[in-house]
């Protein structure tokens, strides 16, 4: 149990376009999901905390208008990178906290975004 | 100084060796994850523990809350264990994780 999926697993887009990444908890409900960004050979950096039915809480230095997060249901959160630029190229990882599991984060497999 | 420190940063071992990766933290925590990430891959949670010891196959994780220290041990290491191992601690509210910088393990034949 406790499987989290991400879609797509990789995406290439042109500069100026927007890209949406989905994070789903497949076998449990998640009131809270986290979005992370990882640069090569670095650890995960928390971007924002996504709570079902409310606005996301962004970490300092993360542009909320650039990285739009929507957590519309207990099993789905989306991250939209708007007007993407090459510097947005990165590995984006989500994790989910279960309603019943309330403490442990379960990680998705990640989405590799390349902006050309 | 990071709240969560790992050592060593890089580790090379020969197949079959016993491996230990250490994690120490400077703040109070409620629990700690050991995570594994293969090159180009996603994050896999190996253990979450708040006290004592857990074992899964060749992997053993221990934590000493009083000493603010956790270790991950790999017995009879194998090249497929080559990965980055990250400790991450629940250090505050809202179930956020604070990550160590990771230990890059290379197991050779």
């Amino acid at each position: 149990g406790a499987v989290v999926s991400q879609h797509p697993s990789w995406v290439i887009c042109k500069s100026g376009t927007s890209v949406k990444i989905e994070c789903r908890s497949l076998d449990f409900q998640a009131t809270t999901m986290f979005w992370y960004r990882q640069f090569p050979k670095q650890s995960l950096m928390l971007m924002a905390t996504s709570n079902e039915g409310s606005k996301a809480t962004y970490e300092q230095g993360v542009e909320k208008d650039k990285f739009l997060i929507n957590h519309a249901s207990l099993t789905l959160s989306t991250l939209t990178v708007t007007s993407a630029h090459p510097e947005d190229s990165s590995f984006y990882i989500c994790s989910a906290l279960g309603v019943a599991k309330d403490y442990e984060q379960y990680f998705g497999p990640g989405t590799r975004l390349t902006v050309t | 100084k990071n709240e969560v420190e790992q050592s060593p940063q890089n580790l090379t071992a020969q197949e079959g060796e016993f491996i230990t990766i250490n994690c120490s933290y400077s703040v109070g925590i409620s629990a700690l994850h050991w995570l594994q990430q293969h090159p180009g891959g996603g994050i896999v949670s190996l253990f979450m523990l708040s006290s004592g010891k857990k074992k899964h196959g060749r992997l053993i994780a221990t934590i000493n809350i009083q000493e603010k220290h956790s270790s991950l041990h790999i017995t009879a290491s194998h090249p497929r264990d080559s990965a980055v191992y990250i400790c991450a601690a629940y250090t505050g509210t809202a179930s956020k994780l604070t990550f160590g910088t990771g230990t890059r393990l290379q197991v050779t034949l």
Side-chain angles (χ1 to χ4, degrees):
Chain A
V3 178
V4 176
S5 70
Q6 278 185 245
H7 179 79
S9 54
W10 61 269
V11 58
I12 301 172
C13 72
K14 290 188 176 179
S15 190
T17 61
S18 295
V19 174
K20 181 185 284 188
I21 302 169
E22 293 184 348
C23 177
R24 291 182 187 273
S25 54
L26 297 185
D27 52 358
F28 66 101
Q29 293 183 323
T31 53
T32 301
M33 292 184 175
F34 299 92
W35 286 97
Y36 298 93
R37 183 172 181 177
Q38 186 181 35
F39 292 104
K41 297 194 176 181
Q42 293 189 24
S43 196
L44 281 71
M45 180 191 79
L46 179 65
M47 299 174 67
T49 303
S50 167
N51 293 297
E52 187 267 336
S54 64
K55 289 184 179 180
T57 304
Y58 291 81
E59 295 299 300
Q60 196 171 9
V62 177
E63 299 174 62
K64 62 180 181 182
D65 295 329
K66 171 80 171 169
F67 299 99
L68 299 178
I69 291 172
N70 184 25
H71 193 155
S73 78
L74 285 172
T75 59
L76 173 65
S77 175
T78 60
L79 168 68
T80 302
V81 183
T82 62
S83 188
H85 286 94
E87 56 265 31
D88 299 325
S89 298
S90 192
F91 194 50
Y92 293 88
I93 301 169
C94 73
S95 70
L97 273 176
V99 171
K101 301 172 191 295
D102 77 328
Y103 205 59
E104 184 169 353
Q105 289 190 32
Y106 295 90
F107 290 87
T111 296
R112 187 161 303 281
L113 170 64
T114 302
V115 185
T116 61
Chain B
K1 191 180 190 307
N2 291 335
E3 291 181 332
V4 179
E5 298 270 357
Q6 278 185 245
S7 63
Q9 287 191 323
N10 295 283
L11 181 56
T12 301
Q14 283 199 314
E15 184 178 14
E17 285 186 10
F18 180 85
I19 288 162
T20 296
I21 300 170
N22 295 299
C23 177
S24 59
Y25 46 92
S26 56
V27 295
I29 72 167
S30 44
L32 181 143
H33 272 286
W34 278 103
L35 309 170
Q36 180 193 56
Q37 186 175 32
H38 282 102
I43 300 285
V44 173
S45 177
L46 300 173
F47 298 102
M48 189 183 87
L49 64 168
S50 54
S51 64
K53 175 180 173 178
K54 286 190 176 180
K55 184 176 189 294
H56 185 253
R58 295 180 294 107
L59 302 177
I60 303 166
T62 63
I63 189 168
N64 186 318
I65 295 293
Q66 287 76 24
E67 293 186 4
K68 292 187 166 64
H69 183 268
S70 177
S71 293
L72 176 68
H73 306 285
I74 304 175
T75 62
S77 60
H78 190 276
R80 63 175 174 266
D81 297 325
S82 300
V84 175
Y85 293 84
I86 304 167
C87 74
Y90 292 98
T91 55
T93 58
S95 298
K96 287 186 181 179
L97 284 169
T98 300
F99 293 85
T101 52
T103 295
R104 193 171 299 273
L105 171 65
Q106 180 80 34
V107 181
T108 59
L109 292 170

